Amino acid sequence: MDYSMKPIGTIHSPFQDKKSTPIQPSRSQAIGQVEVFPEYVEGLQDLDGFSNIILLYVFHCSEGYSLRVKPFLDDQLHGLFATRYPCRPNPIGLSVVRLVSMNGNVLEIEGVDVLDGTPLLDIKPYVPEFDFKDGARTGWLQKGE
Amino acid sequence: MDYSMKPIGTIHSPFQDKKSTPIQPSRSQAIGQVEVFPEYVEGLQDLDGFSNIILLYVFHCSEGYSLRVKPFLDDQLHGLFATRYPCRPNPIGLSVVRLVSMNGNVLEIEGVDVLDGTPLLDIKPYVPEFDFKDGARTGWLQKGE
């Protein structure tokens, strides 16, 4: 069974093409705006109590996928699901960003790492108790340390 | 524009109904299995180097949504996007779980908090550098502290 997902907004960023887009939000201090479509604005109540939010969005410029990829941070092939590579069977992206301010249906965010015009699927509050794991091993990403 | 998402596997858990399902993985030590459909198994290579993984899945038992909800952890109404409530415009769930072992197309995971039979959309490696934010404020969730 397939599931149909419909954007609830648009992420605006300074990045117009893939080459200039940072690899991950931790490597970006870029400011962007999340424009939530007006019909969903009521759902934003109390979100500004959270310093960080999780954005789920569509990697809308990715097409097709390979199950083994060379990620941006390595020159070896790895299984796609062991990477954050954007071309995936379900091209859903995830970024944890800082919520700078909220004004009506527009969120100002810091640490944006997506292309301008990215379709937004969901916003969730970032909660360390749920989302933080201490002492995590990070496989091939640790090699260079 | 709508986006069609197609499950890449199934999450198996001890939880057969919503009432017995833990609220978040941090509150669960339950063991579950992620069964990745055989055609995607090549994409799992090197995933076992990561101690924690992010699962994206469909809240398949949720129907419809309200933009203001009383979450499980509070008795006040909050904006839906300031909660992790399962009934959402795009009912995509996110859990960070511990990867105990990997055997072919089956991942044994600890800290599962989803219903048995949950459709899996994506697996990503959990990388603290990308996913951890220090000193995060957590709005209404902090009230009780």
Side-chain angles (χ1 to χ4, degrees), chain B residues 107-139:
Chain B
L107 314 178
E108 180 136 318
I109 55 171
E110 186 186 278
V112 65
D113 65 335
V114 303
L115 281 174
D116 188 42
T118 289
L120 176 71
L121 293 178
D122 199 10
I123 301 173
K124 299 182 195 289
Y126 172 78
V127 181
E129 185 196 346
F130 306 156
D131 303 314
F132 168 56
K133 304 295 162 180
D134 205 7
R137 275 184 300 113
T138 57

Side-chain angles (χ1 to χ4, degrees), chain A residues 45-46 68 78 92 124, chain B residues 45-46 68 78 92 124:
Chain A
Q45 189 198 327
D46 302 328
R68 298 182 75 221
H78 299 286
I92 303 175
K124 298 183 195 290
Chain B
Q45 187 198 328
D46 302 327
R68 297 182 73 222
H78 298 286
I92 304 174
K124 299 182 195 289

Side-chain angles (χ1 to χ4, degrees), chain B residues 69-145:
Chain B
V69 296
K70 271 188 202 164
F72 303 112
L73 298 171
D74 201 8
D75 56 2
Q76 301 286 312
L77 284 168
H78 298 286
L80 176 62
F81 300 118
T83 77
R84 304 286 279 254
Y85 206 74
C87 305
R88 316 177 75 84
N90 294 304
I92 304 174
L94 178 169
S95 297
V96 185
V97 299
R98 193 164 80 79
L99 178 58
V100 178
S101 63
M102 187 162 97
N103 194 350
N105 68 325
V106 177
L107 314 178
E108 180 136 318
I109 55 171
E110 186 186 278
V112 65
D113 65 335
V114 303
L115 281 174
D116 188 42
T118 289
L120 176 71
L121 293 178
D122 199 10
I123 301 173
K124 299 182 195 289
Y126 172 78
V127 181
E129 185 196 346
F130 306 156
D131 303 314
F132 168 56
K133 304 295 162 180
D134 205 7
R137 275 184 300 113
T138 57
W140 64 266
L141 271 168
Q142 275 175 325
K143 270 198 241 159
E145 284 182 5

Side-chain angles (χ1 to χ4, degrees), chain A:
Chain A
M1 180 178 167
D2 286 14
Y3 296 88
S4 179
M5 303 288 170
K6 185 187 166 98
I8 62 163
T10 304
I11 308 176
H12 300 285
S13 85
F15 310 115
Q16 302 298 327
D17 59 68
K18 288 184 208 178
K19 279 185 191 157
S20 65
T21 305
I23 296 169
Q24 282 289 339
S26 62
R27 296 169 183 242
S28 162
Q29 251 111 60
I31 296 285
Q33 289 80 35
V34 177
E35 176 198 353
V36 175
F37 298 144
E39 61 265 40
Y40 300 108
V41 69
E42 198 186 342
L44 296 175
Q45 189 198 327
D46 302 328
L47 186 65
D48 53 359
F50 293 82
S51 57
N52 298 85
I53 57 176
I54 300 171
L55 304 177
L56 297 181
Y57 49 86
V58 180
F59 284 123
H60 67 301
C61 288
S62 78
E63 275 174 30
Y65 64 90
S66 303
L67 288 173
R68 298 182 75 221
V69 297
K70 272 189 201 166
F72 302 114
L73 298 171
D74 201 8
D75 56 3
Q76 301 286 313
L77 282 169
H78 299 286
L80 176 61
F81 301 118
T83 76
R84 303 288 280 254
Y85 206 74
C87 306
R88 316 178 75 84
N90 294 304
I92 303 175
L94 179 169
S95 296
V96 185
V97 298
R98 194 165 80 80
L99 178 57
V100 178
S101 64
M102 187 162 96
N103 194 350
N105 69 325
V106 178
L107 313 178
E108 179 136 319
I109 56 170
E110 185 185 280
V112 63
D113 64 336
V114 303
L115 281 174
D116 188 40
T118 289
L120 176 71
L121 292 178
D122 199 11
I123 302 174
K124 298 183 195 290
Y126 173 78
V127 181
E129 185 196 347
F130 305 156
D131 303 315
F132 168 57
K133 303 295 164 181
D134 205 8
R137 274 184 300 113
T138 56
W140 62 266
L141 272 167
Q142 277 174 325
K143 267 197 243 159
E145 285 179 5

